[in-house]
Amino acid sequence: MPRNLGVGLLELVLAIAIFGVIASAVASLAATGLDVSVVTTPLIRAEAYAEEAFSAVRTMQDRAWNEFTIATSGLSLVGDNWTLLGENTSEIIDEFTRRVFFSSVCRDATHEITVCPGAYTDPHAKSLTAEVSWGTGASARVVSASTLLTNW
């Protein structure tokens, strides 16, 4: 009888140890999942705000190409129309800051896009960069995306 009690006690200790290892692994995975969620949620929102900026500027492009004479601006939705806030402005959305940058598109002699200054500046194309930033100091983050706009 004492021998069986020892085997039963050993099995119990072994089961508790295995449970402890599995519980620690699950807790570690859950904590890592929460850390990833805290980092990716703002990143996903920032990317969405950058994409929204592209859509907003495209609606303005269809309405009035001549509005793209400034270099840096925030965006504002007035009624159903997006507008530029003005030179060197930015837009605050919750804890995010959004700006759009317009720059000239230069072309070479074969009409391919090249680094400025090229053979000529294309009056019917603009480079658009949307930048969304959040956080301060060491935790500051920035998402930046670019696209080409054309007046066609």
Side-chain angles (χ1 to χ4, degrees), residues 54-131:
F54 289 163
S55 296
V57 171
R58 284 190 181 105
T59 64
M60 286 186 278
Q61 165 190 338
D62 295 340
R63 189 178 69 236
W65 179 258
N66 61 346
E67 289 184 24
F68 303 143
T69 58
I70 62 177
T72 305
S73 180
L75 299 167
S76 176
L77 184 60
V78 179
D80 292 335
N81 293 316
W82 285 98
T83 61
L84 298 173
L85 292 174
E87 190 67 62
N88 292 322
T89 60
S90 59
E91 171 190 12
I92 305 298
I93 311 166
D94 299 324
E95 72 268 22
F96 299 92
T97 301
R98 176 168 65 185
R99 296 184 299 175
V100 292
F101 302 89
F102 297 95
S103 58
S104 297
V105 173
C106 294
R107 298 197 181 261
D108 62 19
T110 63
H111 310 294
E112 295 296 318
I113 294 174
T114 188
V115 177
C116 291
Y120 67 98
T121 301
D122 187 342
H124 300 288
K126 290 278 186 186
S127 175
L128 169 65
T129 300
E131 179 185 278

Side-chain angles (χ1 to χ4, degrees), residues 30-42:
T32 301
L34 288 174
D35 288 346
V36 168
S37 155
V38 166
V39 170
T40 57
T41 299

